[in-house]
Amino acid sequence: MISSMDNPKIKTLLKLKQSKYRKSEQAFIVEGSHLVSEARLAGVLMEAYSIEDKDGYIQVSEGVMKKICNTDTVVKELGLCRMLTKSEISDKVLILDGVQDPGNMGSLMRSACAFGFNTMFIGTGSVDIYNDKVIRSSQGAIFKLNFLFGNVCDFVKSLKHCVYGTNVESGIPLKEVKKEDKVAIILGNEGNGISKEVNALGLENIFIPMRNTESLNVAVAGSIILYEFGI
Amino acid sequence: MISSMDNPKIKTLLKLKQSKYRKSEQAFIVEGSHLVSEARLAGVLMEAYSIEDKDGYIQVSEGVMKKICNTDTVVKELGLCRMLTKSEISDKVLILDGVQDPGNMGSLMRSACAFGFNTMFIGTGSVDIYNDKVIRSSQGAIFKLNFLFGNVCDFVKSLKHCVYGTNVESGIPLKEVKKEDKVAIILGNEGNGISKEVNALGLENIFIPMRNTESLNVAVAGSIILYEFGI
């Protein structure tokens, strides 16, 4: 049983709390037995840790587990996972142009998965998808999607898909949009919407008619659009 | 300018951080100039506080403001608001049976408002709607809705509306549900769904067809349903 914070394995796990190390190591941590199983199923689990003496798990003390994990509640298991990226792009693509809230990012992963948007493009300026809060709120959807990263404009120009922006005020009402099979939907930042640079591409925008409200939560608005284009 | 934490007004504001005092005083706090304006527009603003010397505002020191507010960023204004409940019930009603996450609660308020579900029934066991995180994520929708509180079963029995439960696995697919004008939708807890007690009423359930996913975020799923029944 590992009970020292100086153990090299533990030191690596602690480093992975930082985004830059996750990037350089191409690895990330998941907390809780549900996510560990999902990671194993997805074939990305490199090591599993438990506070119990279990087959196939590296045992650590409760104190060590507590220091690695980010939740207030006691986590019994955690998994060290490798990042996996495929270059293939699904027919339905969700593009995030600066979504910042981890909860929104995780919720959007669940919805993308549920409605067949199996590729997610994470534009520069969006929250790190391997952040612990994102992973938690993705509820395992993070293992079922293919993620691409980079500049949204460049990616949009490279796509053969029908690409729509989104806007809270104007555009084609969602119910009236032709539901193409090969479609990409762009969602913008919580406060500012889609960036100027992307708006300058002159794409058609989708909007959701509403009353008495300035805007919906971005995970909600995005998911309503994915629902209409899914499954 | 008030700079002492012992000032009676400040003491009252501090007490209102606790749910039980909000309930006994029938008052709550909103943070930030946007929400203060919305509260004023809604006619529920009793007192406004600012760190600046402004007409119609009680000035407080930055230190005092910081201690009252819950956000990390500096808030310049806050408002003391009174709770307002009307007994009238709108044609479209959203019923929450144990929604616990403040972000979900706030997002659902925005969606309810956007799609014309102007009455929200907050069942016992749901998060306090006057919690600061709920108010923040409601983005002002909290001032545009009518809230009722109590036991979900009793309320459902008293309604003349067509009432639907929701379930992640079975029921009538959302697109096939007859969109009644007088409708009430029940959403359950994030982890456990609708309570046993409410399920025992034998209501018809709506579900959202999805693939490869166990469930959607409750604010997302609920909002998709409200969208289909709205505006």
Side-chain angles (χ1 to χ4, degrees):
Chain A
M1 186 178 81
I2 303 175
S3 58
S4 163
M5 299 302 288
D6 292 330
N7 180 291
K9 280 188 185 295
I10 304 305
K11 279 184 163 171
T12 302
L13 293 178
L14 285 171
K15 276 189 182 168
L16 292 175
K17 286 184 152 196
Q18 292 173 59
S19 177
K20 64 172 179 180
Y21 283 103
R22 292 195 290 265
K23 214 167 172 178
S24 67
E25 302 297 315
Q26 288 288 298
F28 62 102
I29 294 172
V30 297
E31 301 174 5
S33 53
H34 173 69
L35 287 172
V36 172
S37 323
E38 295 277 342
R40 187 179 287 116
L41 272 174
V44 297
L45 188 69
M46 296 191 289
E47 284 173 356
Y49 292 79
S50 173
I51 54 170
E52 287 158 9
D53 182 11
K54 280 174 73 171
D55 226 25
Y57 286 77
I58 298 165
Q59 195 180 1
V60 297
S61 69
E62 275 196 52
V64 167
M65 182 65 90
K66 221 177 156 181
K67 288 233 166 86
I68 301 167
C69 290
N70 295 287
T71 39
D72 293 334
T73 49
V74 181
V75 171
K76 288 189 177 168
E77 295 182 11
L78 67 81
L80 173 64
C81 308
R82 65 192 168 92
M83 295 180 185
L84 195 66
T85 304
K86 292 171 284 180
S87 56
E88 67 196 57
I89 297 173
S90 56
D91 280 355
K92 294 193 170 71
V93 179
L94 176 60
I95 301 173
L96 302 186
D97 182 21
V99 169
Q100 271 297 326
D101 180 82
N104 286 340
M105 177 66 84
S107 292
L108 284 167
M109 287 181 185
R110 288 170 80 177
S111 301
C113 196
F115 301 126
F117 284 70
N118 294 323
T119 299
M120 265 175 86
F121 185 88
I122 312 296
T124 317
S126 302
V127 63
D128 179 7
I129 64 162
Y130 300 105
N131 169 309
D132 64 292
K133 282 181 199 151
V134 174
I135 296 174
R136 220 173 304 130
S137 63
S138 90
Q139 295 271 322
I142 195 166
F143 297 121
K144 296 174 182 166
L145 297 166
N146 184 35
F147 297 97
L148 302 171
F149 303 89
N151 177 284
V152 173
C153 286
D154 295 344
F155 180 67
V156 166
K157 285 177 198 159
S158 77
L159 278 179
K160 299 266 186 302
H161 295 58
C162 177
V163 185
Y164 290 107
T166 47
N167 189 297
V168 293
E169 280 172 349
S170 62
I172 316 168
L174 176 56
K175 291 266 183 207
E176 292 166 28
V177 179
K178 206 181 149 213
K179 305 299 182 299
E180 312 277 350
D181 284 336
K182 260 176 104 85
V183 69
I185 308 289
I186 310 175
L187 299 175
N189 174 267
E190 283 82 355
N192 308 314
I194 287 178
S195 62
K196 269 188 196 167
E197 193 192 7
V198 173
N199 269 327
L201 296 175
L203 302 167
E204 284 203 283
N205 282 323
I206 296 176
F207 91 103
I208 301 172
M210 13 176 214
R211 59 173 180 195
N212 206 12
T213 314
E214 284 158 40
S215 67
L216 296 167
N217 166 282
V218 66
V220 162
S223 300
I224 290 173
I225 296 172
L226 302 189
Y227 158 79
E228 279 287 20
F229 277 90
I231 291 180
Chain B
M1 184 178 81
I2 303 175
S3 58
S4 161
M5 300 301 290
D6 292 329
N7 180 292
K9 280 189 186 295
I10 304 304
K11 280 184 162 172
T12 301
L13 293 177
L14 285 172
K15 275 188 181 168
L16 292 176
K17 288 184 150 196
Q18 292 172 60
S19 176
K20 65 173 179 181
Y21 283 103
R22 292 196 289 266
K23 213 166 171 177
S24 67
E25 302 297 315
Q26 289 289 297
F28 62 103
I29 294 172
V30 296
E31 301 175 5
S33 53
H34 172 71
L35 287 172
V36 172
S37 323
E38 294 277 343
R40 188 178 287 116
L41 272 173
V44 297
L45 187 71
M46 295 191 291
E47 284 174 355
Y49 292 80
S50 172
I51 55 171
E52 286 158 10
D53 182 12
K54 280 174 75 171
D55 226 27
Y57 286 77
I58 299 164
Q59 196 180 1
V60 297
S61 67
E62 276 195 53
V64 166
M65 183 64 89
K66 220 177 157 183
K67 288 233 168 85
I68 302 167
C69 289
N70 296 288
T71 39
D72 293 334
T73 49
V74 181
V75 171
K76 287 190 177 169
E77 295 183 10
L78 66 81
L80 173 64
C81 308
R82 64 194 169 91
M83 295 179 187
L84 195 66
T85 303
K86 292 172 284 182
S87 57
E88 68 197 52
I89 297 173
S90 55
D91 279 356
K92 294 192 169 71
V93 180
L94 176 61
I95 301 173
L96 302 185
D97 182 21
V99 169
Q100 272 295 324
D101 180 82
N104 286 340
M105 177 66 85
S107 293
L108 284 167
M109 287 181 184
R110 288 169 81 177
S111 301
C113 197
F115 301 124
F117 283 69
N118 294 323
T119 298
M120 264 175 87
F121 184 88
I122 312 295
T124 316
S126 303
V127 62
D128 180 7
I129 64 163
Y130 299 105
N131 169 307
D132 64 292
K133 284 182 199 150
V134 174
I135 295 174
R136 219 173 306 131
S137 61
S138 91
Q139 296 271 323
I142 195 166
F143 297 120
K144 297 173 180 166
L145 297 166
N146 184 35
F147 297 98
L148 302 170
F149 304 88
N151 176 284
V152 173
C153 286
D154 294 346
F155 180 66
V156 166
K157 285 178 199 159
S158 77
L159 279 178
K160 298 268 187 301
H161 295 57
C162 178
V163 186
Y164 291 107
T166 47
N167 190 297
V168 292
E169 281 171 348
S170 62
I172 315 168
L174 176 55
K175 292 267 181 205
E176 293 166 28
V177 178
K178 205 180 150 213
K179 306 300 181 299
E180 313 277 350
D181 285 337
K182 262 177 103 83
V183 69
I185 307 289
I186 311 175
L187 300 175
N189 172 267
E190 284 82 355
N192 308 315
I194 287 178
S195 62
K196 268 187 197 168
E197 193 192 7
V198 173
N199 268 327
L201 296 175
L203 301 168
E204 284 202 284
N205 282 322
I206 295 176
F207 90 103
I208 301 173
M210 18 179 211
R211 60 175 178 192
N212 206 12
T213 315
E214 282 159 39
S215 67
L216 295 166
N217 166 282
V218 66
V220 163
S223 300
I224 290 173
I225 296 172
L226 303 188
Y227 157 80
E228 279 285 20
F229 277 90
I231 295 181

